[in-house]
């Protein structure tokens, strides 16, 4: 049997190749092409429209960093909004916080949830059956329109600005997120590779820093999101990450009794420290 390979099509001039043992699912949904495959190196991989979304091998890095940074930065996160996140990884991590009373997850494509639950069980676990979950199948940009002061934290776990996700990178979406957050609310979003998606990071940092009083970039290295340091944007109405009190973070982390494989209070503090090349194109310094 000839070797089978998957080559990611996110960039025109650079591709991550993964050897494939088995294709578990591949179909065009109403919104995107969904592909789920088994690989020897990274376990089971979810691909949407040719872009790697998550793998059972390294998902813990992304899902812990996009969730625990905002939730341990906030003094008492009770009501959390997730936009996207159909693979269930962010939902699983949010539900580990006992302070969280309710999570609203807004996912446009219910087939991503359905097939993630079937083939990515180590990521979803039983999160989608949590009594604290309000599941909304719909466009996140529509959902946030016209709502005020409901959530403590909003996590935008969207793909890159392709297809249905494009609307989740626009000023009016970010303004609506600002309004839907409470007065000490925090929003985080994935903002791509600091090396291969500089313009996307720069543009979204610019948009968010004009809407929120505090906006900062933090990073993590995620093997299957190629292009070196991967970035997240943290925007907040009141909580300045630069004024981070690591003692508070440590106390909250210990009290939460959440076992993590990547996140810890020291990483929380360090991840906001940026290399000069990132500082330069993000903050113009
Ligand atoms: N961690 C991944 C990343 O960084 O690219 C994202 C993973 S998650 C699977 C992305 C989800 O966002 C997908 O399930 C997709 O269907 C959903 N999505 C895309 N556009 C959306 C929209 N406008 N509203 C809600 N969900 C959307």
């Amino acid at each position: 049997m000839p070797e089978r390979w998957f080559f990611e099509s996110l960039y025109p001039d650079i591709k991550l190749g993964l050897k494939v043992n088995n294709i578990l699912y591949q179909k065009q949904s109403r919104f995107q092409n969904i592909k789920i495959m088994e690989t020897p190196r990274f376990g089971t991989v979810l691909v949407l429209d040719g872009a790697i979304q998550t793998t059972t091998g390294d998902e813990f890095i992304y899902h812990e960093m996009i969730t625990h940074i905002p939730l341990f930065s906030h003094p008492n996160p009770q009501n959390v909004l997730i936009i996207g996140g159909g693979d269930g990884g962010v939902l699983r991590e949010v539900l580990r916080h006992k302070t969280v009373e309710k999570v609203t997850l807004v996912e446009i494509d219910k087939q991503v949830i359905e097939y993630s639950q079937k083939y990515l069980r180590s990521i979803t676990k039983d999160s989608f059956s949590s009594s604290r979950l309000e599941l909304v199948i719909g466009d996140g940009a529509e959902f946030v329109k016209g709502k005020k002061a409901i959530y403590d934290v909003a996590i935008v776990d969207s793909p890159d600005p392709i297809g249905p996700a494009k609307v989740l990178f626009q000023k009016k979406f970010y303004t609506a997120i600002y309004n839907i957050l409470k007065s000490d609310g925090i929003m985080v979003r994935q903002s791509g590779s600091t090396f291969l998606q500089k313009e996307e990071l720069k543009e979204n940092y610019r948009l968010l820093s004009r809407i929120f009083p505090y906006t900062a970039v933090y990073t993590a290295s995620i093997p299957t999101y190629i292009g070196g340091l991967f970035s997240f944007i943290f925007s907040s109405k009141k909580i300045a990450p630069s004024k981070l009190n690591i003692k508070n973070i440590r106390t909250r982390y210990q009290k939460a009794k959440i076992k993590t494989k990547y996140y810890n209070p020291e990483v929380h503090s360090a991840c906001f420290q940026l290399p000069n090349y990132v500082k330069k194109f993000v903050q113009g310094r």
Side-chain angles (χ1 to χ4, degrees):
M1 167 96 138
E3 281 192 356
R4 279 186 301 181
W5 284 76
F6 162 78
F7 291 97
E8 185 177 40
S9 58
L10 193 54
Y11 305 102
D13 57 350
I14 177 172
K15 292 187 181 304
L16 169 66
L18 294 175
K19 195 167 172 205
V20 176
N21 286 344
N22 190 10
I23 306 272
L24 296 169
Y25 181 81
Q26 176 156 353
K27 259 223 181 89
Q28 184 68 27
S29 78
R30 225 182 98 205
F31 300 96
Q32 54 211 336
N33 183 279
I34 304 173
K35 180 183 231 174
I36 302 177
M37 54 195 173
E38 270 171 344
T39 71
R41 178 71 70 167
F42 284 102
T44 309
V45 179
L46 168 67
V47 174
L48 296 179
D49 284 344
I52 292 174
Q53 300 296 305
T54 194
T55 85
T56 52
D58 68 355
E59 58 89 7
F60 66 94
I61 305 172
Y62 173 89
H63 292 131
E64 288 183 15
M65 286 302 279
I66 201 171
T67 305
H68 302 311
I69 294 285
L71 266 72
F72 282 124
S73 295
H74 194 285
N76 185 24
Q78 294 175 306
N79 208 354
V80 176
L81 172 64
I82 302 170
I83 304 287
D87 57 41
V90 174
L91 176 60
R92 179 197 72 215
E93 289 303 307
V94 168
L95 290 169
R96 298 175 74 190
H97 289 257
K98 295 290 163 274
T99 58
V100 172
E101 293 167 0
K102 185 179 162 196
V103 202
T104 304
L105 185 140
V106 187
E107 164 59 58
I108 201 164
D109 192 341
K110 68 174 182 311
Q111 291 196 26
V112 175
I113 297 175
E114 191 182 331
Y115 291 102
S116 295
Q117 292 199 118
K118 184 167 180 199
Y119 295 115
L120 294 165
R121 203 69 196 168
S122 68
I123 296 180
T124 63
K125 303 235 191 289
D126 57 358
S127 311
F128 285 104
S129 42
S130 167
S131 57
R132 289 183 283 166
L133 170 63
E134 176 200 14
L135 179 60
V136 174
I137 300 299
D139 179 346
E142 287 305 313
F143 176 83
V144 295
K145 269 182 188 163
K147 293 188 173 82
K148 277 211 167 314
I150 304 172
Y151 297 100
D152 301 301
V153 174
I155 299 174
V156 183
D157 179 24
S158 81
D160 297 289
I162 307 168
K166 279 194 192 124
V167 289
L168 305 180
F169 291 79
Q170 291 173 354
K171 184 176 172 214
K172 57 181 179 215
F173 171 66
Y174 292 143
T175 307
I177 289 275
Y178 180 90
N179 295 330
I180 207 170
L181 285 169
K182 290 180 190 166
S183 60
D184 61 353
I186 297 173
M187 180 224 76
V188 296
R189 71 145 311 122
Q190 71 88 355
S191 43
S193 158
T194 59
F195 223 80
L196 302 176
Q197 295 167 301
K198 284 191 169 102
E199 287 317 310
E200 183 182 316
L201 170 54
K202 190 172 164 186
E203 174 57 11
N204 286 279
Y205 178 85
R206 190 183 64 79
L207 283 176
L208 286 161
S209 47
R210 292 195 174 162
I211 298 168
F212 283 84
Y214 300 101
T215 293
V217 173
Y218 64 95
T219 65
S221 286
I222 302 170
T224 53
Y225 292 170
I226 57 170
L229 284 176
F230 188 82
S231 70
F232 302 84
I233 299 177
F234 177 112
S235 287
S236 149
K237 291 187 172 181
K238 239 188 213 159
I239 298 160
S242 53
K243 299 213 172 41
L244 189 81
N245 177 329
I246 186 154
K247 278 209 295 295
N248 287 348
I249 302 293
R250 274 206 194 99
T251 310
R252 292 172 193 163
Y253 182 64
Q254 280 147 11
K255 207 166 147 222
K257 293 191 178 45
I258 294 175
K259 275 211 166 328
T260 48
K261 286 168 69 177
Y262 186 93
Y263 174 92
N264 63 50
E266 293 67 38
V267 161
H268 187 133
S269 167
C271 71
F272 284 95
Q273 306 308 317
L274 300 175
N276 287 349
Y277 83 93
V278 180
K279 264 192 207 167
K280 192 160 175 290
F281 73 76
V282 164
Q283 299 154 351
R285 275 193 243 151

